[in-house]
Amino acid sequence: MPRTIPEPPFELSALIPEFADLARETTLLYPRSGNPGVEQSSMGGPLLWPADEPWPYCDQPGHWTCGPGSSAWEKVTPETVPMVPVIQLFARDVPGLSFPPGKDVVQLVWCALLHEQDPAGVVLPRMYWRNEAETVAAGLLGDAPAPDEGEYDEDLIPRPCTVCPTPAVEYPQRDLPEGLLQALLPRLEELEERYGFWYSEVACALQNKVGGYPAWTQSPDWPHCSQGHRMEHLFSITGEVAYGRWLPLDEHRPGTAQPIWDAPADPEIFDAIGPELEIGDAGGLYVFLCRRCPDLPYAHRSDCH
Ligand SMILES: [Zn+2]
Ligand SMILES: [Zn+2]
């Protein structure tokens, strides 16, 4: 079931028509800890995986971890490491996501270690598109292999979460062309004065989501495929929890705009929120896709605060 999120404090495209052509639909996932099954959409949950397809392993040389609360990298030396489930979405749960013909499940896994060769600095995601009925009919893998102690960085394994895909409309934040930003500045400042929100708080969510705009915490860095096509943003993955404009109404303290987990927090709710990931000091991992190339190449970027 989608969450109910508050109406935005102001409708950007109605007040500033230049935003109208820049609106994009996103689907916020709102992961909350739980016990999703293989036939459910999830973050960090078990995947609908064919029995006859080997589970993916990472054999990149040069694996590293980063201890809890530390920024020092420590080299670890496993030979090959099983990848871990990150996202599984079924088409029925995410009507806003367009699937390739004949496919209705998308899955993302990654190696939960740091990689010195990775230009994005962190995990190495792999993506799979499947047909649910064919996969089930052919037989499913039992328990997937999981990394042992020392074969993962705990900040990079999402805990099992159910998701509540919730559609919303986003506008560019750092992707707003610089010239346009300058031209709109007086009107954006006027909106902030009147409503108390800077436009970027309303425009774009640093959340776990599908589509929309990446809520870059650093300069935008859109990848291109080998054919030179600019890719589209498919997933954002982050440890950030919903707040402000994006906080679901049922997680508001009654009658206020404050989150229900603000002190005094309700531990039952507080402890269930989010996948407990920490990517680059509260930044995001962004996955991009080229639909113009038939083999659907993908790429990733990451940033940090
Ligand atoms: Zn790896
Ligand atoms: Zn392409």
Side-chain angles (χ1 to χ4, degrees):
M1 281 289 288
R3 309 301 284 262
T4 303
I5 52 177
E7 291 295 314
F10 50 82
E11 187 48 62
L12 260 179
S13 61
L15 297 172
I16 303 185
E18 286 88 337
F19 275 101
D21 288 343
L22 301 172
R24 281 193 197 163
E25 190 176 299
T26 187
T27 304
L28 300 158
L29 293 177
Y30 293 115
R32 299 293 181 263
S33 77
N35 293 300
V38 293
E39 297 199 46
Q40 276 180 283
S41 293
S42 64
M43 279 192 77
L47 303 185
L48 191 82
W49 199 269
D52 63 355
E53 184 175 317
W55 184 259
Y57 279 72
C58 179
D59 58 3
Q60 290 278 313
H63 272 135
W64 301 73
T65 60
C66 191
S70 151
S71 58
W73 283 31
E74 270 179 51
K75 197 162 176 54
V76 291
T77 51
E79 306 250 309
T80 60
V81 192
M83 294 197 164
V84 301
V86 179
I87 288 183
Q88 170 167 275
L89 295 174
F90 290 84
R92 57 175 174 269
D93 294 326
V94 195
L97 173 59
S98 161
F99 282 73
K103 306 296 183 192
D104 55 7
V105 189
V106 62
Q107 297 167 332
L108 190 85
V109 300
W110 68 34
C111 172
L113 285 165
L114 299 162
H115 302 83
E116 58 193 346
Q117 290 86 358
D118 179 16
V122 281
V123 296
L124 291 174
R126 280 193 211 159
M127 188 153 56
Y128 301 85
W129 301 93
R130 303 193 188 283
N131 177 285
E132 180 183 7
E134 286 172 10
T135 307
V136 171
L140 299 177
L141 183 71
D143 287 342
D148 290 328
E149 189 79 26
E151 295 185 337
Y152 61 89
D153 182 313
E154 64 185 324
D155 287 343
L156 298 175
I157 294 195
R159 64 176 169 174
C161 286
T162 56
V163 294
C164 296
T166 302
V169 172
E170 288 189 320
Y171 300 96
Q173 178 193 35
R174 288 182 182 235
D175 283 306
L176 195 62
E178 182 60 27
L180 185 57
L181 176 63
Q182 288 307 320
L184 297 179
L185 216 45
R187 281 184 282 165
L188 293 172
E189 286 170 352
E190 197 185 307
L191 285 184
E192 186 182 24
E193 202 159 302
R194 195 174 348 151
Y195 297 102
F197 285 86
W198 180 236
Y199 89 97
S200 62
E201 296 173 76
V202 174
C204 186
L206 180 56
Q207 294 290 312
N208 293 287
K209 65 185 182 183
V210 183
Y213 287 93
W216 304 103
T217 59
Q218 295 175 339
S219 297
D221 178 17
W222 289 80
H224 292 72
C225 75
S226 62
Q227 301 303 306
H229 307 135
R230 184 169 132 144
M231 294 183 165
E232 69 175 61
H233 170 244
L234 186 67
F235 299 131
S236 283
I237 299 154
T238 173
E240 287 283 334
V241 297
Y243 55 89
R245 147 94 172 87
W246 308 103
L247 183 68
L249 286 177
D250 60 301
E251 291 177 359
H252 283 223
R253 200 172 288 284
T256 78
Q258 295 308 308
I260 205 160
W261 60 83
D262 254 7
D266 177 335
E268 203 170 307
I269 296 175
F270 181 79
D271 292 344
I273 288 176
E276 290 198 322
L277 284 169
E278 187 155 337
I279 299 168
D281 189 20
L285 188 289
Y286 314 104
V287 179
F288 301 84
L289 175 72
C290 178
R291 293 183 189 271
R292 291 169 65 188
C293 289
D295 58 339
L296 301 171
Y298 55 91
H300 68 286
R301 296 286 184 266
S302 68
D303 59 15
C304 57
H305 275 299

